[in-house]
Amino acid sequence: MLIEHPALAAITEDLRTCLVKMLAHAKGRPPQVQVSSAEHRAYAIFSRVSEIDNCLRSLRIAIAGLQAEATSDSPNVEQYRYHVENYLLRLTGIYDRACRFVGVAVGMTSQEVDRQSGNSDVLRNLKGSDARSTIEILVELKTLLEPYWRNRNVVAHAEEFSSREIGLFVTISQVELESVSPDELHNLMAEHFRDGALDYGLLALQAEGLLCRLIEDLAPTIASLPDVP
């Protein structure tokens, strides 16, 4: 997972001491948590990377489901649709989470990165500091994911995910055409599901690769940002 990236080792000690203090507070001692700005920042960075990891973990679960349908003796189009919808709902959130991670890494507060204009504010901050390489990676990530935003919005706000093939498979299954062999239908479904699993799997890997580049690009900033009270 991304949280294990070597570039994040720079925050390990501050994160450890922050967690120890938070654990003591959870046990009722002391009544208030007093953490340094470095500890607070380390925890903020850790939390934002963990959010991205949760997205990637959900994508892997969805891809495993797609692969299971592709290799099943009786592939189920509704199960395939279910896994695609879960995949889409998580995929497009990666860009937002990447922007929030970048924001806290360069010193912005959680309130600043979480507001509705947070992504734009992060990019404006980066342009002001001439962080061109970081901007380029975020733009590349957005370009990779943007074609899937429409389908995600359809699933989230309007209707179920569909395609020409899925619509055809559902209709044939419901009508039960005698001229269509169940084995032939299952073979066609398995082939389509296999292609989908491969495509979605590759997309997730490409996104993860860009996120690794993003962490590497920000490594000097993560390691050297001064502890401001």
Side-chain angles (χ1 to χ4, degrees), residues 180-211:
V180 178
S181 164
D183 289 339
E184 180 182 3
L185 177 60
H186 287 168
N187 288 338
L188 288 173
M189 290 169 64
E191 182 179 357
H192 179 68
F193 296 168
R194 182 169 58 251
D195 290 344
L198 288 172
D199 290 343
Y200 287 127
L202 176 60
L203 180 62
L205 287 174
Q206 290 174 318
E208 187 169 358
L210 288 171
L211 293 165

Side-chain angles (χ1 to χ4, degrees), residues 84 87-88 91-93 95 138-155 161-162 200 203 206-207 210:
V84 171
Y87 181 96
L88 291 172
L91 177 73
T92 53
Y95 177 72
L138 285 175
V139 169
E140 193 173 345
L141 180 63
K142 183 178 181 180
T143 301
L144 177 70
L145 303 178
E146 204 165 20
Y148 300 87
W149 288 359
R150 180 183 177 280
N151 280 337
R152 182 268 176 198
N153 290 336
V154 166
V155 170
F161 172 79
S162 191
Y200 287 127
L203 180 62
Q206 290 174 318
L210 288 171

Side-chain angles (χ1 to χ4, degrees), residues 19-20 22 63 107 110-111 154 164 184 216 223:
L19 293 176
V20 168
M22 293 174 69
I63 292 168
S110 292
Q111 290 76 14
V154 166
R164 182 181 63 182
E184 180 182 3
E216 291 165 2

Side-chain angles (χ1 to χ4, degrees), residues 106 122-132 134-135 221:
V106 300
V122 169
L123 290 173
R124 190 177 301 112
N125 184 302
L126 294 174
K127 290 177 182 177
S129 59
D130 199 28
R132 296 181 183 177
T134 306
I135 294 173
T221 302

